[in-house]
Amino acid sequence: MPKFDEGKLRFDFGERWRVEKWDACSAYAQGISKLSGELDEPGGGVRVEGTKAVDFVGVLDGERLYLCEVKDFRGYRIENDDRQLGGLPLEVGLKVRDTLAGLVGAYARMGAPPWVDEYGQVLARRKHQVHVVVLIAEDDVRPNEPRGKREARDNERLKRVKQKLAWLTTKVWVENPLQQRAMPDLSVESLPGAGQK
């Protein structure tokens, strides 16, 4: 059972999973991550930066591809409040786009790790939609927050993330990793020092 630490969270994937820490694996490092740098169009046009990557890519039961992005905002609530409805949905969309491009590129290359073949075949079969899960650990207590405001904010954040991923899938979830339900056969625990600056 693969275990990975991401920030102050430990992910323990069960036997039903084949999982890679995408932003740390050789297929990413030797592939699409080399497409980096900045391009500024003359006249102040488009600005393009390097590639983005989700934290985990996984195949569940040999037939469902999951792309998972993890954010640990505990202890940084104020710094990240505006980001959650502003830049975060676009950031997730770009990470998903670049990760899929990287997986397809790795699948097309000779000499890619064997797991890439399995992922490529799952995508090629098109039996199931790609699943995107954004796991956001947040502080539980928000002083003076009116009842229902957090739920409304969470619903709006999910709506905005779904809008950015509508080109790919309807299977999109935004959840707390310590309470998540979108990824079966996965347990997540908080590591010492979580929420401390």
Side-chain angles (χ1 to χ4, degrees), residues 13 16-17 60 64-68 131-135 158 171-177 179-186:
F13 291 88
R16 297 172 59 193
W17 286 97
L60 177 67
R64 286 186 180 88
L65 179 67
Y66 280 75
L67 306 178
C68 181
H131 293 63
V132 177
V133 182
V134 183
L135 298 173
L158 174 61
K171 304 291 186 187
V172 178
W173 294 269
V174 178
E175 299 180 331
N176 180 328
Q179 302 168 351
Q180 71 84 26
R181 296 169 305 283
M183 298 177 71
D185 201 21
L186 168 65

Side-chain angles (χ1 to χ4, degrees), residues 5-8 10 18 51 62 70 77 80 86 89 92 101 105 109 113 133 136-137 157 159 169-170 173-174 183 186:
D5 290 351
E6 182 64 32
K8 296 291 184 184
R10 176 160 295 146
R18 169 85 183 225
T51 58
V70 177
R77 180 185 62 81
N80 287 292
V92 170
R109 264 193 355 246
V133 182
I136 302 175
R157 179 180 60 197
K159 177 180 138 193
T169 185
T170 60
W173 294 269
V174 178
M183 298 177 71
L186 168 65

Side-chain angles (χ1 to χ4, degrees), residues 33 114 116 156 173 190 192-193:
S33 76
V116 171
E156 181 63 22
W173 294 269
S190 187

